[in-house]
Amino acid sequence: MLLTFTLLLWAGTALKVIQLLRAPDDRLLRTVASGLATAAIAFTVGRHPVEAWLDGLYPGIPSLVRNLGMTAAFYLVLAFFVYSTKQHRQAIREMFRHRAIVGGLLALAVLTWALAPADVRVDPRAASYEGFGYATVFQALAALATLYSVFHALRYGVHRARRARRRHLRIGLSVLVVGLVGALLANLLSVVMTLMGLVLPPDAPAMAAAQLAYVVVILFGIPGVAFGLAYPIVAGMAAATPVWWRHWRQHRALSPLWREMNRAFPALTLRRTIGAVRPWSIHARRYRRACEIRDGLVMLAPYYPAEEREDTEGTATTERYAARLREALRARAEARADGSEPVGGTITTPALQNGLGGGMDADIRWLVELSTALHRGQVVESG
């Protein structure tokens, strides 16, 4: 179970990193990605092969990374709530205070761990059950830092869950709150066990019961937090799948028309900027391709035949537009070959009169029809 959960954490981290590469300035995305990464690292170092290898490098490294990683993960959950609910300046000030408190406690914990003997560093939790010492101080400081982060994250989480309107967001936040309650109880039990170790022997029945309760609560708490953070994202992606699929099909259907426009006017290709537009996104690629086609149709206007022919209803069909477009493209190719002037005089492209101008989505739907008709005519001509 722990292995599966660890793999899921790494999968979630990889997904967030990919999204972060597309939007490097997204603070909330950075926070979620960092939280998943720290939790994944904390669980990974607890796996036996990794733990044995790290202990061979320096005794106690796995226990230190595990404690710091889980505290950092809950601190980043708190940061996610603060950044998503507060104004930028208020969030910066509040996170400075949280960072000072959590960072101070962890700094003292690391100092205590560094001063402890090797057998204590390897397993400070077990050593803390044997009485007061470095292990007890380390466990208490680490638990207090985690409790502080979990408590404030839980406070924000309850507030956000009550005010959430979207169903998938409300479900995710509710599960997250349950997970945070579990984490809070687990860390309270950790403090209690540390204090019990001062007065009870390690094999006391109360210690065994507390350890079992800790394991049960933490096994529900950590997955609850991870699921609560991931569910709204996954649900949102699932809801957006039909839109993504439609945009992908439209982007592909525009290819014949876009290739002709690009061949006729290579300089009209828009620069692919990296930033908020997310150039790898199919939505951005579809939008950019439609813009390039529209620019090409405008530039192609003087190359249309001088006479505009209409059908019996007085409006040209898509097939008629495609036929006239092929004539204009041939005229443009001949003009580029011999350096002559446009052949058709000052005529506005019929596509702009009857096809475009109803908004980007309507424009793209019409351009898809035109591209399909153009491709169909090219197949007939080549056949």
Side-chain angles (χ1 to χ4, degrees):
M1 179 179 177
L2 287 178
L3 176 59
T4 302
F5 183 64
T6 303
L7 294 176
L8 289 175
L9 283 175
W10 280 116
T13 301
L15 176 63
K16 293 295 108 182
V17 169
I18 293 173
Q19 294 177 341
L20 189 59
L21 290 174
R22 300 176 178 179
D25 297 328
D26 192 327
R27 184 187 294 271
L28 291 178
L29 192 55
R30 285 205 309 267
T31 303
V32 174
S34 301
L36 289 172
T38 53
I41 292 172
F43 274 84
T44 300
V45 298
R47 306 304 303 169
H48 177 68
V50 180
E51 185 177 19
W53 178 71
L54 290 175
D55 273 329
L57 295 178
Y58 190 82
I61 285 291
S63 65
L64 179 65
V65 174
R66 190 162 52 245
N67 281 276
L68 296 184
M70 293 311 304
T71 302
F74 286 115
Y75 168 81
L76 289 165
V77 173
L78 169 61
F80 171 81
F81 282 125
V82 173
Y83 287 132
S84 61
T85 56
K86 299 283 188 179
Q87 296 293 331
H88 179 70
R89 291 185 178 180
Q90 292 178 331
I92 293 296
R93 286 196 298 268
E94 181 168 342
M95 287 310 302
F96 178 80
R97 183 176 72 252
H98 295 318
R99 192 179 303 113
I101 294 173
V102 175
L105 290 171
L106 290 182
L108 291 174
V110 172
L111 178 62
T112 304
W113 177 87
L115 296 175
D119 57 335
V120 174
R121 293 198 306 267
V122 169
D123 194 354
R125 182 179 298 280
S128 66
Y129 301 153
E130 299 178 0
F132 184 81
Y134 289 107
T136 302
V137 176
F138 174 80
Q139 285 295 119
L141 290 170
L144 286 175
T146 306
L147 276 172
Y148 178 89
S149 300
V150 172
F151 173 77
H152 286 283
L154 180 60
R155 182 167 58 88
Y156 275 104
V158 171
H159 180 70
R160 285 289 303 276
R162 288 176 177 174
R163 300 184 60 182
R165 295 182 179 180
R166 296 181 180 179
R167 182 173 178 271
H168 66 272
L169 182 59
R170 187 168 60 252
I171 293 174
L173 288 172
S174 299
V175 176
L176 176 60
V177 167
V178 173
L180 289 173
V181 170
L184 185 69
L185 292 175
N187 282 276
L188 286 173
L189 283 170
S190 178
V191 174
V192 168
M193 288 187 294
T194 300
L195 296 177
M196 289 171 62
L198 300 176
V199 296
L200 294 176
D203 56 351
M207 290 289 290
Q211 292 174 19
L212 178 62
Y214 173 83
V215 172
V216 171
V217 172
I218 202 67
L219 286 178
F220 280 97
I222 301 300
V225 172
F227 180 84
L229 286 174
Y231 179 79
I233 300 171
V234 175
M237 292 173 63
T241 298
V243 176
W244 185 93
W245 177 247
R246 184 172 67 253
H247 287 183
W248 182 84
R249 293 183 64 185
Q250 289 177 338
H251 175 266
R252 183 169 180 174
L254 289 172
S255 295
L257 181 55
W258 176 80
R259 282 195 296 267
E260 293 298 333
M261 292 297 106
N262 188 259
R263 186 179 296 116
F265 305 101
L268 287 180
T269 302
L270 298 176
R271 185 169 63 90
R272 288 163 170 76
T273 56
I274 297 177
V277 177
R278 302 185 182 185
W280 297 278
S281 167
I282 192 63
H283 313 295
R285 290 159 58 194
R286 161 185 170 269
Y287 179 85
R288 185 175 60 246
R289 178 163 288 187
C291 290
E292 292 173 353
I293 291 173
R294 294 200 307 181
D295 291 345
L297 291 175
V298 172
M299 295 292 292
L300 199 62
Y303 295 93
Y304 282 90
E307 293 184 3
E308 295 190 30
R309 298 188 295 274
E310 299 179 344
D311 61 12
T312 57
E313 287 80 14
T315 58
T317 63
T318 304
E319 295 293 340
R320 180 69 60 79
Y321 284 141
R324 300 189 67 228
L325 180 58
R326 283 193 294 272
E327 295 178 24
L329 289 168
R330 279 194 290 266
R332 167 63 180 172
E334 293 172 359
R336 290 188 65 191
D338 59 19
S340 61
E341 294 297 322
V343 297
T346 56
I347 297 178
T348 303
T349 168
L352 289 174
Q353 292 178 1
N354 299 299
L356 304 180
M360 179 56 76
D361 286 337
D363 289 355
I364 290 177
R365 286 194 296 270
W366 192 86
L367 289 174
V368 166
E369 295 178 8
L370 183 60
S371 180
T372 303
L374 180 67
H375 179 64
R376 189 184 303 120
Q378 290 172 337
V379 171
V380 171
E381 288 182 355
S382 63

